[in-house]
Amino acid sequence: MKHIFLIIDDDPEAVEIISQWLRKQFPTCTVYTAGDGREGWAKVKNAPPTLVITDLVMPKLSGKELVQNICADKSLQDIMIIVVSGHPEEEFQVEAAATNRIQFLSKPFRQNIFLEAIDRALSSKGGKEPKLTLKKIKAGETLFEEGDRGKNVYLVKSGKLRACKKSGQIIGDIAANEFVGEMAHFSGEPRSASVIALEDSELIEIESDHLDLLLFSKPAWSQALMKTLSKR
């Protein structure tokens, strides 16, 4: 299969380096480039590529806006995306994770790291990667009870929740960009606490059986999990 790549970056040197890596790894591929987000968006619509590699901070149209445009257009749903940035926003990482199409690379990165990300993106394209579900709960609602079987793990997209024991002891609060329910996954034991929404919240629901695979394919999720575990 011939791959079509679109590199969107306002740094000509970065564009040239990435182009060389891609052409060496995929000799029959086609590589298009764009120097800003608006030009990149026009090229995406005119000739949809297999994979978009975009910087986050760009003139005219940001990488974040570009990614949101691509994900909102159903005719472009087969395009995979790699976002390259020095400091991708945590909120945007969680929002993008729900699409199951986006990976993040932090600058600077080595050639082997970049090509591994390309391979993951191409491998998941058209594959049977686990579907992620967006779950909404109202303030005061219970996500799960202490003693429940831990079938799912959640990544908080927005809102705030609280973990507490049936005795009333407060374990701690869970904010946006943090995991909840991961302890039951790792221990294999029932839920050690109940979790209640302190405010209207949105969560990405993940089947426990698929968490390890998703953590491997989405480095940004591994970072979010490490952040969560550091607070436990």
Side-chain angles (χ1 to χ4, degrees), residues 38-52:
R38 187 178 299 168
E39 180 188 0
W41 175 230
K43 290 188 174 182
V44 167
K45 290 189 294 182
N46 290 335
T50 310
L51 175 65
V52 169

Side-chain angles (χ1 to χ4, degrees), residues 130-202:
K131 182 179 178 181
L132 305 175
T133 304
L134 186 63
K135 184 179 181 67
K136 299 182 180 182
I137 60 174
K138 297 288 186 181
E141 287 187 10
T142 299
L143 178 63
F144 53 73
E145 295 273 5
E146 179 181 346
D148 286 352
R149 180 168 169 253
K151 296 185 293 183
N152 299 309
V153 179
Y154 303 87
L155 180 57
V156 181
K157 183 173 183 287
S158 64
K160 189 175 184 180
L161 303 97
R162 173 166 290 170
C164 54
K165 306 289 283 186
K166 289 181 178 179
S167 63
Q169 177 189 359
I170 296 175
I171 304 301
D173 293 345
I174 305 109
N177 309 317
E178 295 182 4
F179 276 88
V180 59
E182 79 289 345
M183 299 308 294
H185 166 74
F186 290 121
S187 69
E189 301 292 330
R191 304 287 190 191
S192 59
S194 300
V195 172
I196 301 169
L198 296 179
E199 56 190 48
D200 292 355
S201 303
E202 292 185 339

Side-chain angles (χ1 to χ4, degrees), residues 102 115 132 148 207 212 214 232:
I102 302 166
L115 292 177
L132 305 175
D148 286 352
E207 293 183 19
D212 293 340
L214 288 169
R232 294 292 188 252

